[in-house]
Amino acid sequence: MARAIVYTEIGSPAVLHLIEVPDPVAARGEVVVRIDAAGANPIDAKLRGGKRPSPPITEPRPVGFDGAGVIEALGEGVDDFAVGDRVAIRDGHGTYASALAIPSANLAKLPDSVTTAEGAGIGIPAGTAYQALRSLGVTEGDVLLVHGGSGAVGQAAVQFAVAWGATVIATGSPARHDQLRELGALPVAYGDGLLDRVREVASSPVTVVLDCAGTDEAIEASLALVADRDRIATIVRGPDAASFGIRAFSGGSPVPLTAQELAWRAEALPETIALLDAGDFTIELGPQLPLAEAARAHELMESGAASGKIILLP
């Protein structure tokens, strides 16, 4: 029997339980992955806690979208992977588990230079950042402001934009400024006077903004800096983004991602792995906990008590 974290009701982290489940079987186009690491993301906690809408629960609901491991079995029609391949998973729908059947299209091979924990930390953060910046048309010569630059999505956005030739200004607490500099960003403290501080460090006017913080301060500064509302986006303030005239990508937005945006999110997985392999991208890893401590992982995410990507180890 495989093991998986599930919940049967919306609630606190305490609703998460480790149970035994039937060993997964690969259908056509799928593979079975032995999961060696699962990435914990804020969306996991928001769905579990009811902060993000989801359908009624009619059976034990699995948790987690990102992970990494080794292929144990191939379904019919899969010819681009082999048993024994190390892979990273995106959009896995139940990666808090010891094994999972998943479409091969949701996988990318991991080179030896990329750890399993790093592979498990790619999916949602890198996919969100990559798609958002592609949607905003970030390119060489842009001056990008990233609100919440020290978070997982913010760090990915900084690194992609720097790789594409943009100048990046990123907000974060002073304790995180050295890290933001190492990623290639000009750090700015959030709080009163944010707008003046951004203007002070910007050698050219800000041309594009990605909000990963969701504060009123971040929105107000963005509107003051960039006249073209199509070049301001949030991944947090989805429900009220339209009232500001700005774009929203997920984050509770009622507007679904387009087919192109979904394709960009998928493209981010192999692109990020290639950058990691070349030494041009880093993933900040945080606590690594046993799978049975998934509730603790959610407590840490919701309290903000841990820095870096929390990884669960089945």
Side-chain angles (χ1 to χ4, degrees):
M1 298 284 283
R3 296 175 301 125
I5 294 291
V6 301
Y7 59 100
T8 57
E9 59 181 317
I10 298 296
S12 73
V15 303
L16 298 176
H17 297 288
L18 180 65
I19 65 170
E20 289 190 336
V21 295
D23 289 326
V25 176
R28 182 176 181 81
E30 292 185 336
V31 304
V32 173
V33 177
R34 182 194 76 223
I35 298 177
D36 295 327
N41 289 292
I43 186 62
D44 306 337
K46 290 176 181 178
L47 288 167
R48 182 224 74 230
K51 293 182 179 179
R52 195 64 60 83
S54 61
I57 299 174
T58 58
E59 57 185 10
R61 179 165 293 172
V63 190
F65 300 95
D66 296 343
V70 176
I71 293 179
E72 291 191 323
L74 303 175
E76 186 179 350
V78 176
D79 54 14
D80 47 351
F81 292 95
V83 171
D85 282 347
R86 297 176 65 243
V87 292
I89 301 168
R90 57 168 292 275
D91 202 17
H93 299 287
T95 55
Y96 290 21
S98 60
L100 186 68
I102 182 170
S104 63
N106 293 40
L107 306 176
K109 293 179 183 179
L110 283 179
D112 291 341
S113 61
V114 181
T115 70
T116 301
E118 288 173 329
I122 296 172
I124 286 178
T128 301
Y130 186 93
Q131 171 265 306
L133 297 189
R134 288 299 191 198
S135 295
L136 289 166
V138 173
T139 189
E140 184 175 0
D142 268 319
V143 178
L144 168 69
L145 172 60
V146 178
H147 295 289
S150 60
V153 176
Q155 289 187 39
V158 168
Q159 293 178 88
F160 286 134
V162 168
W164 300 343
T167 297
V168 182
I169 300 167
T171 69
S173 67
R176 307 281 271 173
H177 283 189
D178 284 346
Q179 179 189 43
L180 289 171
R181 289 189 188 94
E182 290 175 1
L183 297 178
L186 299 168
V188 173
Y190 47 72
D192 291 343
L194 171 63
L195 181 58
D196 290 337
R197 288 192 296 278
V198 170
R199 285 173 168 158
E200 183 177 340
V201 303
S203 57
S204 301
V206 174
T207 58
V208 57
V209 179
L210 178 61
D211 167 43
C212 306
T215 63
D216 289 344
E217 170 191 71
I219 299 297
E220 291 165 5
S222 302
L223 297 174
L225 288 163
V226 180
D228 184 354
R229 300 296 188 256
D230 280 343
R231 303 211 77 199
I232 303 173
T234 180
I235 63 165
V236 186
R237 296 283 289 266
D240 63 351
S243 68
F244 301 110
I246 66 175
R247 303 170 75 179
F249 305 123
S250 299
S253 172
V255 180
L257 295 174
T258 66
Q260 176 62 80
E261 287 166 344
L262 291 171
W264 278 327
R265 292 206 174 193
E267 183 180 301
L269 185 61
E271 289 288 335
T272 305
I273 291 171
L275 288 171
L276 283 163
D277 188 35
D280 295 329
F281 198 97
T282 62
I283 294 174
E284 181 187 15
L285 296 175
Q288 298 189 23
L289 305 173
L291 181 63
E293 295 184 22
R296 175 61 177 156
H298 280 213
E299 289 170 357
L300 289 171
M301 282 195 295
E302 292 179 313
S303 67
S307 297
K309 173 61 63 178
I310 299 172
I311 301 295
L312 292 171
L313 305 174

